[in-house]
Amino acid sequence: MSKINNRIVSGMRPTGRLHLGHYFGVLVNWLKIQEDNECFFFVADWHALTSEYTDPRRIKGFVPELVKDWVAAGLDPEKCTIFHQSEVKEHAELHLILSMLTPVGWLERNPTYKEIRQELSQKDLATYGFLGYPVLMASDILMYKPSRVPVGQDQLPHLELAREIARRFNHLNGEHFPEPEAMLTEDAKLPGLDGRKMSKSYNNGIFLGESAEEMRPKVMSMLTDSNRMRKTDVGDPEVCNLYPYHKLLTDSEKCAEIEEGCRNASWGCVDCKKLLAENMASFLAPMHERRAHLDENPDLVWQILADGTAKARARAQQNMEEIREKIGFNF
Ligand code: TRP
C-alpha cells in the first residue's frame, strides 16, 4: 500500500475545565484517531488570548489543567504529540506571512466570527487579533501539512478559510500546502443538566475532573420528562435529559429496560438518577485515578508538554525554512 499521509492536527483553547460534552463530542474521537494516525494535539493558548486579552494571566493556569484533562481522558503522549502553541513561535511567523495574503473580506464574512461576537457581546472583540483568529488557526494547521483536521460544526468556516489561504499561498508562490480536509466530529450528544446545550457559560455540565460526591447532587437535580409529575405517570425517554446520558453510560440491555420501565411507569426518575450517578462515577473513576497521579506530579505534566512541544517545533522549524525559501525570505 502506498504511504498515505495520515497526519492529524487539532487544538483546544485553554479556557476552563473540560466536561462530559467535550468528552463525548471531541475527546472520544481524538482517542480513536490517536491509535492509527500521526496526531498533533495542541493547547491553543494564543487563541484563548484573542478573547481573554483583558486578563491574559488567567490563561496560564488553564494550560496544565487542559493537558491533565486530556491525559486523564486517555490521550497517550506515547501515541500522539501534545504540544503548547505559544511555545512554538513559528506559528506566529506563519500567521504573519499568511495575514499578508488574506483579504479582510474573507474574515469579515466568516459566520462563526459574527456569531461569537454577538454571543460574547459583553467583551470587545472588535480587535485586529480576533478578526485574524482564522489566520492563526490556518497557521496552526498548515504548519504540519495534515491531511485531516477533526473539528466541530462551528469550526468548519475556519477550516474552509484555512483551505482558501493555502490555495492562495500556493497560487502565488507555487505548490506548498496540501489542502486539509475536515473530519467532522458529531455535535455533542449530551444536553446540559437543565436541558440546554452543555456549556461553561450556563454552568450546567459535569466536569471530567469532578468527584463522585460533587457529581451526585447534580445528577439528582437533573430535569427529566416534565410531563411526568408522579412515578405512576408514564414517561417519555425521548424528552428526558437523563436518557441520552444512559445511552452513553449504561449498557444497552439495561437501557432497553429503563426505556420500557419509563414508558409503562414501573421505573421512577429517582431510581433512574441513582443508577446514572453510579454509572457515571464508575465511568469517570479511571480518569480520576490518572488525574490524581498527574496532580501529584505537576512536573510530569510540564514534561509531557515540553517533549511534545520539542517534536512539534522541529517540524515547524523545518517547514518554516521551506516557506521562507519559497517566498525568498531566506537571507
Ligand atoms: N478554534 C478552535 C476552537 O475554538 C481551536 C483551534 C485553534 C483549532 N487552532 C486550531 C482546532 C487548529 C483545530 C485546528 O475550538
Side-chain angles (χ1 to χ4, degrees):
M1 206 175 77
S2 69
K3 192 155 166 49
I4 52 158
N5 167 354
N6 64 349
R7 207 169 308 122
I8 303 279
V9 177
S10 203
M12 274 190 213
R13 303 179 325 132
T15 51
R17 307 162 78 185
L18 297 190
H19 52 58
L20 281 172
H22 293 119
Y23 183 85
F24 288 107
V26 183
L27 284 176
V28 263
N29 294 306
W30 287 18
L31 297 183
K32 262 185 250 149
I33 297 168
Q34 74 172 341
E35 294 303 327
D36 42 18
N37 293 281
E38 184 191 5
C39 295
F40 289 84
F41 296 125
F42 68 97
V43 180
D45 56 343
W46 274 335
H47 281 270
L49 194 56
T50 58
S51 56
E52 308 301 315
Y53 63 86
T54 53
D55 194 4
R57 284 180 187 78
R58 282 185 63 225
I59 298 169
K60 196 174 198 169
F62 291 133
V63 172
E65 289 306 311
L66 185 58
V67 175
K68 281 189 223 168
D69 273 333
W70 286 353
V71 175
L75 274 196
D76 181 349
E78 300 285 321
K79 294 181 181 161
C80 60
T81 301
I82 296 174
F83 77 94
H84 189 172
Q85 180 191 33
S86 69
E87 289 296 302
V88 184
K89 312 293 179 196
E90 285 74 11
H91 288 227
E93 185 180 356
L94 185 54
H95 170 247
L96 177 102
I97 292 170
L98 297 180
S99 76
M100 301 304 171
L101 54 88
T102 306
V104 176
W106 288 5
L107 301 172
E108 287 171 334
R109 250 184 275 126
N110 177 346
T112 302
Y113 171 69
K114 294 187 203 162
E115 248 167 58
I116 296 185
R117 271 189 67 180
Q118 270 167 8
E119 228 171 84
L120 301 180
S121 55
Q122 77 283 8
K123 288 187 185 172
D124 181 5
L125 292 181
T127 58
Y128 170 60
F130 188 69
L131 179 67
Y133 189 108
V135 186
L136 183 55
M137 186 159 156
S139 313
D140 304 332
I141 296 169
L142 298 176
M143 186 68 89
Y144 303 94
K145 300 185 178 176
S147 58
R148 287 174 304 161
V149 181
V151 284
Q153 192 79 37
D154 63 317
Q155 301 290 313
L156 277 183
H158 294 337
L159 190 64
E160 195 45 52
L161 270 166
R163 292 160 56 87
E164 280 174 279
I165 292 171
R167 231 174 286 149
R168 186 141 217 221
F169 181 97
N170 292 346
H171 174 72
L172 296 170
N173 303 296
E175 218 39 50
H176 182 75
F177 295 117
E179 282 179 44
E181 303 281 339
M183 207 176 177
L184 197 58
T185 54
E186 277 172 58
D187 269 344
K189 302 161 193 87
L190 281 180
L193 301 173
D194 55 2
R196 293 188 289 175
K197 178 179 180 254
M198 195 182 284
S199 151
K200 206 174 43 188
S201 34
Y202 298 151
N203 192 26
N204 61 355
I206 303 249
F207 298 110
L208 301 182
E210 191 153 25
S211 70
E213 294 71 45
E214 287 172 277
M215 179 211 79
R216 198 163 287 118
K218 286 192 178 179
V219 173
M220 296 312 288
S221 72
M222 279 173 74
L223 275 186
T224 55
D225 176 355
S226 53
N227 289 322
R228 191 179 185 194
M229 310 284 260
R230 282 167 297 261
K231 190 178 168 185
T232 49
D233 296 337
V234 297
D236 180 2
E238 295 308 324
V239 300
C240 173
N241 272 333
L242 242 52
Y243 197 54
Y245 285 83
H246 274 303
K247 277 201 266 195
L248 292 167
L249 298 169
T250 302
D251 67 71
S252 53
E253 221 169 283
K254 188 70 193 169
C255 267
E257 224 181 287
I258 289 172
E259 185 171 354
E260 168 88 21
C262 178
R263 290 192 196 283
N264 67 22
S266 63
W267 162 258
C269 297
V270 174
D271 288 330
C272 206
K273 289 177 182 178
K274 280 189 190 152
L275 178 68
L276 179 62
E278 216 174 280
N279 290 352
M280 199 181 280
S282 21
F283 174 75
L284 292 174
M287 288 193 215
H288 291 167
E289 236 171 79
R290 284 192 289 261
R291 180 174 253 280
H293 178 67
L294 296 169
D295 280 335
E296 284 159 23
N297 300 283
D299 291 352
L300 181 58
V301 178
W302 289 110
Q303 196 56 52
I304 290 171
L305 209 46
D307 290 348
T309 300
K311 278 194 229 162
R313 189 184 292 125
R315 288 296 186 94
Q317 283 173 344
Q318 160 91 38
N319 194 10
M320 269 324 297
E321 251 173 60
E322 292 170 21
I323 293 165
R324 284 184 214 116
E325 193 177 306
K326 207 95 198 169
I327 64 171
F329 271 61
N330 51 333
F331 296 103

